[in-house]
Amino acid sequence: MTRSILFVCLGNICRSPTAEAIFRVQAQGRGLLIDSAGTSGWHDGKPSDPRASAEARRRGIDMSYIRSRKVIREDFERFDLIVGMDTQNMADLRAIQPAGSRARLVKLLDYAPELGITDVPDPYFEDNFPEVLDMIDIACSHLLESL
Ligand code: 4NP
């Protein structure tokens, strides 16, 4: 049974905190442990990118409580499911996954094949936050249905 889910991207200021916030609203009342982290640690302790929080706020979703942190080895024991945003995240996660660890690794858009793409594009550079939030919203709702 999946009781705990960690969303992971590179910086933990755009895609994964957005997924955390959206999924937390979608999964309200399910008693799941939900968190997010980044593979880089570049923005440790920082709030999410204001472009992501603004787009989330437009949709009635609060991201102000989230602070960036790096993925740690203990996350692979603490979480049942670790959800990467793109192929590079998956490679980086596999590289630090301790042998025999509990967590199952999956890529978010594997839950939304109808979107026709496999990686959530990086909005930090592409500045396509509405499009990225749409994708995350759809894939997160499928992820929830799959639990
Ligand atoms: P995220 O986006 O991985 O979705 O949080 C990025 C945030 C920051 C950087 C790259 C991607 N950066 O190069 O600082």
Side-chain angles (χ1 to χ4, degrees):
M1 197 147 107
T2 305
R3 306 303 307 164
S4 49
I5 299 177
L6 179 71
F7 294 98
V8 172
C9 62
L10 175 62
N12 190 217
I13 56 167
C14 297
R15 293 165 293 177
S16 63
T18 302
E20 173 190 340
I22 289 176
F23 191 72
R24 194 182 299 285
V25 170
Q26 292 177 346
Q28 222 159 17
R30 298 278 198 113
L32 299 173
L33 170 65
I34 301 163
D35 197 6
S36 67
T39 55
S40 70
W42 292 337
H43 302 272
D44 271 1
K46 298 277 168 48
S48 300
D49 187 306
R51 297 169 295 173
S53 337
E55 184 56 34
R57 202 178 315 115
R58 266 193 284 279
R59 301 166 186 230
I61 293 164
D62 177 36
M63 293 177 62
S64 63
Y65 63 94
I66 300 175
R67 294 293 177 273
S68 179
R69 73 167 179 92
K70 190 173 181 175
V71 181
I72 52 173
R73 287 171 62 87
E74 288 71 24
D75 288 323
F76 291 87
E77 294 306 331
R78 192 164 166 239
F79 292 92
D80 297 317
L81 192 63
I82 298 183
V83 185
M85 296 294 134
D86 64 28
T87 305
Q88 187 60 52
N89 302 153
M90 300 308 289
D92 292 341
L93 285 166
R94 286 194 194 100
I96 58 167
Q97 179 176 29
S101 70
R102 182 160 85 102
R104 191 159 59 87
L105 301 191
V106 293
K107 196 160 61 168
L108 182 62
L109 292 191
D110 288 347
Y111 291 96
E114 74 272 25
L115 296 179
I117 56 166
T118 58
D119 288 2
V120 180
D122 189 341
Y124 187 75
F125 297 109
E126 294 189 31
D127 202 17
N128 54 346
F129 285 86
E131 182 193 350
V132 164
L133 262 75
D134 283 345
M135 288 177 198
I136 290 175
D137 191 15
I138 291 166
C140 279
S141 64
H142 292 327
L143 165 58
L144 184 61
E145 287 158 13
S146 79
L147 297 181

